[in-house]
Amino acid sequence: MNRTGTPVTVIGLGLMGQALAGAFLKAGHPTTVWNRTPSKADELVGRGARLAPTVGDAVGAGSLTIICVTDYQAVRQLLGTSDVELDGTTLVNLTSGDSAQARETARWAEQRGARYLDGAVMAVPPAIGTPEAVILHSGPQADFDAHKPTLDALGTVTHLGADHGLASLYDVAGLAMMWSVLNAWLQGTALLRTAGVDAATYAPFAQRIAAGVADWLPGYAEQIDSGSFPAEVSALETDARAMAHLIEESEAVGVSAELPKLFKAMADRAIAAGHGGEQYPVLIEEFSRPGPADD
């Protein structure tokens, strides 16, 4: 295949790294790859990728390097050796980590002459290269803009801001949403199973509830950002009474009440602080301070 796109390097060929490299190849970008276990590159080489013999050779193959490895320590170990020249390279780090690691790695890379974007992949490997794959980036806008036409091969790419830690923060915020929704669904499923209702029967109802709650978020966000929480729909003290019913029902049918008890403990603290007459988003004050186990 005649490849005329911007050359790109992919370091790290786990399932995600292989998907990233494959998307670049499909989009027509000459793609150099490197992995500690070279055999993981066999299928990509068969599709036209070039396997670099060393990390330094891989980075030197072009001006854009994507790295997706186990952790940030591995990033620095691989790219910190004497044979790796980062000066003049734009490094896009799609390795999972926290915001502090992202900012620290940005400083580390920039001290070595690299332009640095931190990123988070909000997709499973089979989705890479489709619009369903959301790839978040944070770092200098100009660096993102310069390489967006190439990065577009991966899916729906978004720039969040100049703070290198933003992609990691959005990543964990998304995980918080995912696990919270799934845990709430599992709580409801466990309750209904005691009455012989299977998960497949409950799932469509749960979807409607989740979608309806999602519709509240923009209005609730306005309350949080303004710091004003008028009880337009329901007061927190009313919600707390409903939480008590959920706990009682769970315990009565032999289902764990651990999750609803957590909800109510936070609501009770907010009510004790004088917020019982305000709307549910006032709980942002509870979420914004360390929990009892973190003190």
Side-chain angles (χ1 to χ4, degrees):
M1 181 183 295
N2 179 29
R3 303 195 181 280
T4 58
T6 301
V8 61
T9 289
V10 177
I11 295 174
L13 298 178
L15 291 176
M16 184 59 73
Q18 291 180 42
L20 297 171
F24 285 125
L25 285 169
K26 185 177 180 180
H29 294 281
T31 303
T32 299
V33 297
W34 182 90
N35 193 69
R36 197 180 301 277
T37 304
S39 61
K40 289 191 174 182
D42 289 348
E43 191 269 340
L44 293 165
V45 171
R47 293 171 56 189
R50 170 183 172 264
L51 176 61
T54 68
V55 176
D57 180 80
V59 173
S63 60
L64 178 63
T65 296
I66 314 297
I67 186 164
C68 184
V69 291
T70 54
D71 54 37
Y72 279 73
Q73 182 179 0
V75 171
R76 295 169 70 164
Q77 286 176 340
L78 288 171
L79 300 181
T81 58
S82 59
D83 68 323
V84 178
E85 178 57 65
L86 293 180
D87 192 19
T89 295
T90 296
L91 178 63
V92 179
N93 184 11
L94 298 181
T95 300
S96 295
D98 61 41
S99 58
Q101 291 172 319
R103 296 180 184 114
E104 181 182 2
T105 303
R107 290 190 293 269
W108 177 88
E110 290 167 352
Q111 287 169 359
R112 285 156 180 78
R115 297 181 180 275
Y116 182 87
L117 292 169
D118 205 85
V121 180
M122 310 300 289
V124 295
I128 297 299
T130 74
E132 286 69 39
V134 174
I135 319 291
L136 308 177
H137 298 83
S138 51
Q141 179 78 53
D143 295 339
F144 174 78
D145 291 344
H147 294 285
K148 184 179 182 298
T150 302
L151 296 171
D152 279 339
L154 302 180
T156 302
V157 297
T158 302
H159 183 255
L160 301 171
D163 177 358
H164 287 99
L166 283 174
S168 291
L169 283 172
Y170 267 78
D171 185 20
V172 294
L175 292 174
M177 285 291 300
M178 178 185 74
W179 288 323
S180 296
V181 171
L182 288 174
N183 286 338
W185 175 69
L186 291 170
Q187 179 78 34
T189 299
L191 283 165
L192 287 167
R193 278 175 39 158
T194 67
V197 179
D198 60 24
T201 299
Y202 172 50
F205 175 80
Q207 281 184 300
R208 290 194 294 272
I209 294 295
V213 172
D215 286 341
W216 302 346
L217 298 184
Y220 280 7
E222 289 181 6
Q223 289 195 344
I224 291 171
D225 291 342
S226 69
S228 176
F229 306 95
E232 300 167 346
V233 177
S234 176
L236 182 60
E237 57 192 6
T238 302
D239 290 322
R241 289 193 290 271
M243 292 173 190
H245 297 327
L246 174 57
I247 293 168
E248 292 163 4
E249 182 70 40
S250 297
E251 291 177 337
V253 299
V255 166
S256 171
E258 183 177 0
L259 186 62
K261 283 181 177 178
L262 173 62
F263 300 159
K264 191 168 187 301
M266 298 185 79
D268 286 346
R269 289 198 297 269
I271 292 169
H275 300 296
E278 297 177 271
Q279 195 154 266
Y280 198 85
V282 74
L283 282 179
I284 189 63
E285 304 302 331
E286 294 300 314
F287 282 95
S288 297
R289 61 171 59 97
D294 302 319
D295 292 339

